[in-house]
Amino acid sequence: MELRAEAAKHLNPEGLVLRVQEPMMLSTNFRARVRHGIISDPSLILARAMELDETFVSIFFDVPPAWGYKTVYTDADPEIVFSGCYHVYPDFMAAQLWNGMRSFRILLNEMIRDVLLAGFSTRPPRFSGQEYVTQFQKSTEALYQLQSDILASVPQHLGYTSKRHKVSSLSGARVSADNDWSPYRLLWSDFGHHRHWDSQGPESASSYLPVIRLSGGYSLPWPLYLAGATDIATEPVQRWVIESLRSMGRSAGIQQAMVLANMLETKMNIQFRHGQ
């Protein structure tokens, strides 16, 4: 909280970075309180999870152009591009922020579904109105979309966009046009220079300070793991996620990606043994 307060002195209070940090912190605290039994009433958990999820939706409903991304459709390279489409982000920070939001929304919507499923199965049902059935379907559809968006963010992290083409004028990003697709690379190598950070004043901090990527390459493996571990993940999705995580581990030396790949593979094997 103190670090956020200090950062707020230098960032635009209406900017996307600060606006999304608050629901992220609130969601983290909320999930911790549920996990430790401080909040246990299903109706309260459901209402709060829905409220936080809607906050994320409203923040990202109409983002400034500098934070936007484009979607490219292709039938090529299915081992890198899942389901025929991928995203091109203007810079690494934009990709981090979008996938951070998606990760939190996956956790919240899984919580919503779990609470509703438990309520549907009680006798008499705790949640019996049509609005609860509608919410269950809404959360299920949200999980599929969030999963799809995370998978679509992977190719740019693996260098696919610079292998294929320059990034469009949407972002103004500077990406190499050659085909030097090295197997050893940093996950942010295919992104343009960071341009915004929502800094206050006429001069952006990025114009005179070097960018320090605190989370380094660890920003993608966790969202990708969540996309593969979510309850709605199919076996093809899980296998693609496992291979993508291992590719990151090999190419960028991120051992955590290897650990997450092994965890997901173990989860798959358990599901297979139990016929799920």
Side-chain angles (χ1 to χ4, degrees):
M1 295 298 291
E2 293 179 0
L3 182 60
R4 183 179 184 275
E6 181 62 29
K9 298 176 183 178
H10 309 282
L11 298 175
N12 177 3
E14 299 301 320
L16 190 61
V17 173
L18 278 185
R19 288 177 61 205
V20 77
Q21 279 185 350
E22 183 174 2
M24 285 180 173
M25 289 189 298
L26 291 174
S27 297
T28 300
N29 291 335
F30 167 63
R31 295 186 69 252
R33 289 166 67 85
V34 172
R35 180 178 292 273
H36 289 92
I38 299 172
I39 303 175
S40 59
D41 183 278
S43 296
L44 293 178
I45 294 173
L46 179 62
R48 184 56 172 158
M50 289 170 57
E51 179 185 14
L52 288 167
D53 183 58
E54 187 56 38
T55 299
F56 284 114
V57 172
S58 63
I59 290 174
F60 282 83
F61 178 74
D62 186 21
V63 300
W67 292 97
Y69 62 87
K70 75 169 185 174
T71 302
V72 179
Y73 296 91
T74 178
D75 294 327
D77 306 308
E79 72 281 3
I80 301 172
V81 180
F82 189 84
S83 196
C85 74
Y86 62 93
H87 293 168
V88 179
Y89 294 86
D91 55 36
F92 190 66
M93 182 62 184
Q96 282 185 301
L97 207 63
W98 278 96
N99 278 341
M101 173 272 292
R102 291 164 184 150
S103 299
F104 276 94
R105 289 199 62 211
I106 283 177
L107 294 172
L108 289 169
N109 279 281
E110 284 199 322
M111 181 180 289
I112 291 169
R113 279 170 41 95
D114 289 346
V115 170
L116 287 173
L117 282 174
F120 292 156
S121 64
T122 60
R123 294 291 180 269
R126 177 184 289 271
F127 304 118
S128 59
Q130 180 59 39
E131 67 271 21
Y132 297 113
V133 177
T134 301
Q135 178 60 52
F136 184 84
Q137 182 63 32
K138 180 181 177 181
S139 289
T140 302
E141 292 173 356
L143 286 175
Y144 278 115
Q145 185 61 57
L146 295 164
Q147 178 192 71
S148 175
D149 287 340
I150 290 173
L151 300 186
S153 75
V154 172
Q156 189 174 14
H157 286 83
L158 296 181
Y160 185 73
T161 56
S162 62
K163 177 176 180 288
R164 296 272 297 176
H165 52 69
K166 290 183 179 180
V167 178
S168 76
S169 59
L170 165 73
S171 65
R174 297 193 295 109
V175 179
S176 172
D178 61 33
N179 289 328
D180 182 18
W181 200 27
S182 170
Y184 303 103
R185 56 187 294 111
L186 299 174
L187 291 189
W188 53 78
S189 299
D190 213 34
F191 294 85
H193 291 299
H194 185 61
R195 299 158 293 103
H196 27 66
W197 261 102
D198 292 337
S199 59
Q200 300 198 70
E203 186 177 30
S204 169
S206 62
S207 65
Y208 58 89
L209 292 176
V211 175
I212 301 175
R213 296 177 174 91
L214 295 178
S215 58
Y218 294 90
S219 59
L220 180 63
W222 175 245
L224 187 55
Y225 170 79
L226 286 179
T230 183
D231 292 341
I232 54 92
T234 62
E235 182 178 344
V237 167
Q238 291 177 319
R239 294 197 181 281
W240 190 90
V241 168
I242 289 170
E243 184 51 43
S244 295
L245 286 168
R246 287 178 174 156
S247 178
M248 290 176 209
R250 291 190 297 266
S251 65
I254 302 172
Q255 291 305 306
Q256 187 66 18
M258 292 294 197
V259 172
L260 292 173
N262 292 337
M263 286 174 57
L264 185 55
E265 189 170 55
T266 299
K267 183 177 187 291
M268 280 186 63
N269 292 336
I270 293 174
Q271 290 174 334
F272 179 77
R273 287 199 298 269
H274 289 81
Q276 296 180 2

